[in-house]
Amino acid sequence: MVKRGIALLSALIMLCVCGCTGGQADDTAINTTETDAPEQTGQAAENETDGQSTAETFPILGLIIDDDGSDSARLTMYGFLRTAETLCYASKVFRAKAGDEAAAAVDEAKAEGITALMIFNPDSKNDVTVEKAVSLGMDVVAPYYECKVAGIKSNVVVDAEEYYDELARGLAGRMEERSLKSGRILVYGRDTEKAYEAFCASMKQNYPQFIVCQFVRTAADEEGAIDELADFILNNRDIKGVYAVDEDAAPIAVKARSRAQKRFKSEGAPSPTPMPETTAGASAQPEYTPNPALLTQIMITVFGTGLSGENYKLFNDNDIYALCIEPYYEAAAQGTMTLDRIVRGESIASVARVNRPIVHSDTADKYTAIYESMLAAFAAGTDGNV
């Protein structure tokens, strides 16, 4: 965890007092070694009257993104805007849906003299937009998601492989702290396969006494999802750890755990307890017979995903043990610092990686501060421009 902490701290932003017209930066972000303002901005005022455009004199950084109201979009915009302000750049967000709108935003950015551009490209939906920007000679950085478009300057991607292994070991370690010598870990959510395979591999190597199973959510509504998961937990009481892969899955897991506990006390134990299903990855695990001692009570440690108001409340109520943060803010901040280095003519890595932080109740405050500052900024009606 120390290694991850060091890597994370070097990638986040400490909003400092910056002597430029971009405004006073707030103090909610986290320390970084990259806080110097661009060298050319200090001479910009002397050149205002020489006929050059504002964009030529004061470099403007741009971001093209679909502002769909999601936390992922807003944390990305907030990370971009605050980091640009800290580095003393003017910045502009172009809100545009992937496709024709985003492509038109490239033309708009180009017309405004913007040459350094970050393009949010989830699931490669903006590949055409990235290609257009590159063809126009713009310096493009793609944050968070992998981007395979040729000609981009840098791709700041989130590291998933190390994250899943650390997450699995953290959950298994917590089960050992509870003096469990066997039991199952459940991977729960809408799309569980990738995490499930990674958890199976990690348990086989590090904690072979624990077995991994998965349960895919099928109910669309929350109550239905709680009921179906509660049924599964009730019939599989040897489940002692849950990883909820979706942002809204942790609250469902907590409520399903509570519902299963109440039913177990009032209805007794269903019999027999079903065996784990045989699916891809399960063949790598040993034969498994539940320990009868594990079936006498429902006690489950929950790890959640995504920073939200509801998930943070689960921390305060001690309903979940850890939360895996999706680092949209951090990836955007790192991408913006990369644009800064491009503008200054410095060398950059073609691919940079940002770790997913795994936080506990005693370390969550700094991430919550970023989240709450983002909510406050958008509630105040920011237009996305500094």
Side-chain angles (χ1 to χ4, degrees), residues 47 50-58 112-113:
N47 298 327
D50 66 359
Q52 293 180 344
S53 70
T54 300
E56 290 173 328
T57 311
F58 298 92
E112 294 186 19

Side-chain angles (χ1 to χ4, degrees), residues 328-372:
Y328 294 104
Y329 177 93
E330 292 83 354
Q334 183 65 44
T336 308
M337 289 190 287
T338 302
L339 290 177
D340 165 49
R341 288 191 285 271
I342 292 171
V343 168
R344 293 195 285 172
E346 298 179 1
S347 61
I348 58 170
S350 59
V351 177
R353 299 195 178 276
V354 176
N355 287 328
R356 282 183 170 99
I358 301 171
V359 301
H360 300 80
S361 57
D362 59 343
T363 58
D365 286 350
K366 58 187 177 184
Y367 301 102
T368 305
I370 293 173
Y371 183 76
E372 291 178 347

